Amino acid sequence: MSVLMYVSYIPQIISNLSGSKGNPIQPLVAFINCTIWTAYGLLKKEKDWPIIWANIPGIFLGAATFITAIFNF
């Protein structure tokens, strides 16, 4: 479900690139959240791979959504 939630950013990225900019706050917070969860999974003594893999798409898609929402491409 986590991966599906972040894949749902793809339509917003497309809209942002088409000139219909969305609010950048939520994807920025998602990016930060996923980065922290991924770091947590990586820093555990025994790596927590499900947490890591579930949050990696959120890092990239949250960042892409945030960047396309604030910059004119």
Side-chain angles (χ1 to χ4, degrees):
M1 291 308 301
S2 176
V3 173
L4 291 175
M5 179 173 57
Y6 299 119
V7 169
S8 70
Y9 279 139
I10 293 172
Q12 185 177 348
I13 293 169
I14 293 168
S15 292
N16 289 342
L17 292 171
S18 298
S20 179
K21 303 291 185 183
N23 188 325
I25 299 299
Q26 201 279 333
L28 175 63
V29 173
F31 165 78
I32 294 167
N33 176 59
C34 291
T35 300
I36 291 169
W37 274 111
T38 301
Y40 167 78
L42 288 169
L43 295 172
K44 285 181 69 175
K45 185 175 181 177
E46 188 173 321
K47 297 195 183 333
D48 196 335
W49 292 107
I51 287 176
I52 296 165
W53 288 115
N55 285 284
I56 287 175
I59 293 172
F60 293 104
L61 292 169
T65 307
F66 174 74
I67 290 167
T68 59
I70 62 170
F71 293 110
N72 292 324
F73 292 102

